[in-house]
Amino acid sequence: MEMYDEEKSNDDVQEQSLADKFLKLFSELEECTEEGQKQKILELNKLIDEMNNEEFRYVFTKELFNKIDQMIEEDKLTMGNAILLLKHMGYCNALLNIKYFGFLYSSLKRRFREMIDDEEKKKEKRNEKLLTELCECYLLLNIGASSQLISVCVPCLLKAALKKDENEEAQKEVEMALLALSCIFSHYKIEKDLYLNEIKEIIQHHQGHRNLSRLAYQSAWSFLVFRYCKGFSSEIVIVNELHFIRDATKELEELSKSVDWKKKKEEMGETERKAMDIISRWIRSIYYYLKSCHLWNEEYVGLISRIVDVLRASRDNHSEIGEECIQSFEAAAENRAVKLDALLKSGAIDAALEEIPKSTLNERMTSEILRFFHLISMRFKGKGEVKTTEEERKELKRKIFKKMEEEGFEDIIISFYEKFRYIFANHNVFINL
């Protein structure tokens, strides 16, 4: 494992202390009884809740997962207790959208893959609860899975997610199953429209009964949008039957109200931190939708307006969410099915212009904003807007150019010329309206 430098700041020392505390407690598991292990794992799970991305990557290495595998092999850790730890680890990993590869290259991954295959082959004698938990761990911790394994995990997890019991424990299981499903992205090969009816039923039942947690509901949408948005027939279901744009707009608005954006994330309570994580997940789903969609209606303006609100609210203390907001504007600007007029009416162009002077110390944010305007520029250089006359196109171009002029876009470019010249050269950005 990577070692910490003695010269690091106080914050880094605290991070080291948390990581070391976890590893020390983990090392004591081998000496415990099964019940003692369970109690220590509950303590470990509390430590996981406090970790940030860097601490997560530091602790959950290939070596740690190999150690868990070895302990299972030598009967020093029960499978039930291993799953208790791994499910919580996977839950936090998926919620925080952490990218790490410890599990991917571990012997524990091979063990879980073989166990899933073996359990699936048992058919009517299979242990459904065990199979569900194995699938959850595998998808929540793994960056990539074979099509064969996906074909086992998806129906298993959808079956768990379709449960209508409203008690807290059952709904937690539903949330975990849907969160695991949301980790399956579009490049996984699943037959077109397969499982569409099941996820549609889950979303419609919630719309009528409000039975899912906010995270579970967002996860259901993530699975649906990532899987089916590129198909025109399924997009009609997403927009016209299930009302994705309406619900995404409403969820963003309600979640944003539950967050004190003036606080840094580490200063927030658990409820606020979770709300922020769900907001981030919604914006990533919306990004993918805006990038892939074919349909258009006026609800887009309201949806993008809510993202503008999040961008402005997150400006001071949560730049990572701000970057995701700008990326969603880019997706809209790049997709000719989305009218550029929506970016003007929603305030997206104003918000992006406001960000430029504030983001000059953040190269990534600046490059995202400049790319946004580059994409608008390319739209005007193309064949024009969908269902837009040449006269309307010219008028829209005039309005956008005037807005940029009013906000001093050209003056900003000149005043930060050296930095922008570097960004233009290194991020392939060119602005010419």
Side-chain angles (χ1 to χ4, degrees):
M1 286 186 183
E2 166 190 354
M3 298 301 294
Y4 282 87
D5 191 323
E6 292 181 2
E7 300 297 322
K8 289 196 174 182
S9 67
N10 289 336
D11 287 342
D12 289 328
V13 170
Q14 290 175 356
E15 290 175 6
Q16 178 187 7
S17 176
L18 181 60
D20 285 348
K21 189 173 182 180
F22 179 94
L23 294 172
K24 182 178 184 300
L25 195 59
F26 177 82
S27 69
E28 297 169 1
L29 285 176
E30 291 184 90
E31 309 303 323
C32 297
T33 63
E34 181 175 349
E35 185 57 34
Q37 281 184 351
K38 184 175 181 180
Q39 293 306 312
K40 282 193 181 294
I41 287 170
L42 292 176
E43 293 179 50
L44 288 168
N45 287 348
K46 289 180 181 178
L47 290 175
I48 294 172
D49 289 335
E50 299 175 27
M51 289 183 182
N52 59 32
N53 291 22
E54 289 73 26
E55 292 160 341
F56 215 97
R57 292 189 182 96
Y58 176 82
V59 170
F60 299 112
T61 60
K62 173 184 173 182
E63 289 75 19
L64 185 91
F65 290 112
N66 284 345
K67 180 62 177 176
I68 294 173
D69 183 52
Q70 181 185 348
M71 290 167 67
I72 294 171
E73 179 68 25
E74 296 174 356
D75 292 326
K76 293 180 179 178
L77 179 65
T78 66
M79 181 54 67
N81 281 338
I83 286 174
L84 181 64
L85 175 62
L86 293 165
K87 277 179 67 174
H88 192 74
M89 193 187 304
Y91 176 89
C92 292
N93 172 56
L95 186 59
L96 297 174
N97 193 38
I98 302 170
K99 298 293 188 295
Y100 72 103
F101 299 93
F103 182 78
L104 183 62
Y105 300 111
S106 70
S107 58
L108 184 63
K109 175 191 169 182
R110 292 194 294 273
R111 176 183 293 276
F112 271 52
R113 184 177 61 218
E114 291 167 2
M115 289 181 68
I116 290 170
D117 287 339
D118 291 343
E119 203 62 41
E120 167 66 11
K121 290 172 184 175
K122 292 178 183 178
K123 302 299 179 186
E124 66 276 359
K125 294 183 179 180
R126 74 171 62 121
N127 183 331
E128 295 287 353
K129 184 176 186 298
L130 175 61
L131 180 59
T132 299
E133 291 180 326
L134 290 170
C135 290
E136 287 169 347
C137 290
Y138 194 89
L139 293 179
L140 290 167
L141 293 170
N142 194 28
I143 305 175
S146 67
S147 297
Q148 179 184 354
L149 208 62
I150 292 294
S151 68
V152 175
C153 291
V154 171
C156 173
L157 294 176
L158 280 172
K159 183 178 179 180
L162 279 162
K163 292 178 180 176
K164 303 296 194 300
D165 296 342
E166 295 188 4
N167 65 74
E168 185 177 349
E169 183 178 353
Q171 285 309 300
K172 188 66 179 176
E173 291 174 3
V174 168
E175 181 182 84
M176 191 69 76
L178 288 169
L179 184 62
L181 285 168
S182 74
C183 296
I184 302 174
F185 293 99
S186 60
H187 58 272
Y188 292 120
K189 293 182 179 178
I190 299 178
E191 186 179 338
K192 185 180 178 182
D193 293 344
L194 192 62
Y195 313 123
L196 179 59
N197 289 337
E198 288 88 340
I199 198 69
K200 178 181 171 182
E201 180 183 342
I202 289 167
I203 289 172
Q204 285 181 323
H205 186 79
H206 174 77
Q207 289 172 340
H209 299 84
R210 314 303 295 177
N211 62 306
L212 300 176
S213 69
R214 288 196 181 276
L215 176 58
Y217 189 50
Q218 195 288 319
S219 297
W221 272 118
S222 286
F223 174 73
L224 181 59
V225 170
F226 290 151
R227 285 296 331 141
Y228 302 108
C229 189
K230 289 186 177 180
F232 188 76
S233 61
S234 50
E235 190 185 343
I236 291 173
V237 173
I238 291 170
V239 176
N240 294 342
E241 291 187 44
L242 299 179
H243 309 290
F244 171 71
I245 299 172
R246 180 199 67 189
D247 276 21
T249 303
K250 182 180 177 182
E251 289 291 311
L252 272 184
E253 183 175 11
E254 292 182 357
L255 283 162
S256 294
K257 289 177 181 177
S258 67
V259 173
D260 183 350
W261 294 97
K262 294 179 182 178
K263 294 179 183 176
K264 294 184 178 180
K265 195 168 183 180
E266 57 269 23
E267 298 170 343
M268 294 178 177
E270 182 181 351
T271 301
E272 280 187 299
R273 289 199 306 271
K274 189 170 182 179
M276 274 194 60
D277 291 331
I278 300 171
I279 288 169
S280 184
R281 287 171 60 84
W282 269 113
I283 293 172
R284 289 195 294 274
S285 296
I286 292 165
Y287 163 85
Y288 190 82
Y289 177 78
L290 291 174
K291 195 174 184 66
S292 308
C293 65
H294 306 86
L295 301 176
W296 163 260
N297 63 51
E298 286 299 322
E299 287 183 328
Y300 281 73
V301 176
L303 177 61
I304 298 171
S305 292
R306 295 290 76 73
I307 299 175
V308 168
D309 292 342
V310 172
L311 173 61
R312 286 176 169 148
S314 65
R315 178 173 289 154
D316 294 330
N317 294 313
H318 308 283
S319 60
E320 67 287 350
I321 289 184
E323 288 174 21
E324 292 174 339
C325 293
I326 295 294
Q327 287 166 0
S328 70
F329 299 162
E330 290 176 44
E334 192 170 17
N335 184 350
R336 290 188 176 276
V338 181
K339 290 187 177 182
L340 285 179
D341 193 37
L343 297 173
L344 195 60
K345 290 179 179 177
S346 65
I349 289 174
D350 297 77
L353 288 168
E354 292 164 9
E355 283 299 310
I356 289 182
K358 300 177 177 65
S359 64
T360 50
L361 297 178
N362 181 344
E363 179 188 319
R364 183 173 170 180
M365 173 70 96
T366 306
S367 65
E368 296 289 358
I369 294 169
L370 294 178
R371 186 170 184 272
F372 170 54
F373 286 110
H374 167 66
L375 289 167
I376 292 174
S377 171
M378 297 307 293
R379 284 279 290 274
F380 282 127
K381 286 177 175 294
K383 295 179 180 180
E385 296 299 278
V386 176
K387 297 182 181 178
T388 302
T389 66
E390 182 64 19
E391 185 177 342
E392 289 171 331
R393 176 173 168 270
K394 286 181 179 179
E395 177 61 16
L396 178 61
K397 181 177 178 180
R398 186 193 65 78
K399 287 180 180 178
I400 292 177
F401 186 81
K402 183 179 179 182
K403 179 70 65 175
M404 294 173 73
E405 189 176 37
E406 288 172 353
E407 295 296 332
F409 183 73
E410 185 175 344
D411 292 338
I412 292 167
I413 295 291
I414 292 170
S415 64
F416 292 102
Y417 176 74
E418 287 301 321
K419 182 172 182 63
F420 286 158
R421 185 173 64 172
Y422 170 80
I423 292 170
F424 288 144
N426 287 275
H427 295 272
N428 193 29
V429 176
F430 177 69
I431 308 297
N432 183 6
L433 289 174

